[in-house]
Amino acid sequence: MIASFLAIFVAFAVCQALLTVKFADFLSSEGTSGRSTVAPTGDVASAKLA
């Protein structure tokens, strides 16, 4: 039982490491020179609730 828990724990740790490496480039600001940012189309501060 302890061995199966350790195997699952290691599998989750490996998946977490792979996702961290995969999304590190996506979330970094260094490679965004060719990307355009998205701005809101309307004035968000003047929005009123019904």
Side-chain angles (χ1 to χ4, degrees):
M1 184 171 154
I2 294 175
S4 63
F5 173 75
L6 288 176
I8 292 172
F9 184 78
V10 169
F12 279 124
V14 169
C15 289
Q16 180 68 38
L18 289 175
L19 287 174
T20 302
V21 170
K22 180 178 179 181
F23 289 111
D25 183 50
F26 177 74
L27 296 175
S28 69
S29 61
E30 294 177 2
T32 59
S33 60
R35 298 180 189 164
S36 62
T37 58
V38 177
T41 57
D43 190 9
V44 178
S46 66
K48 297 179 180 177
L49 297 175

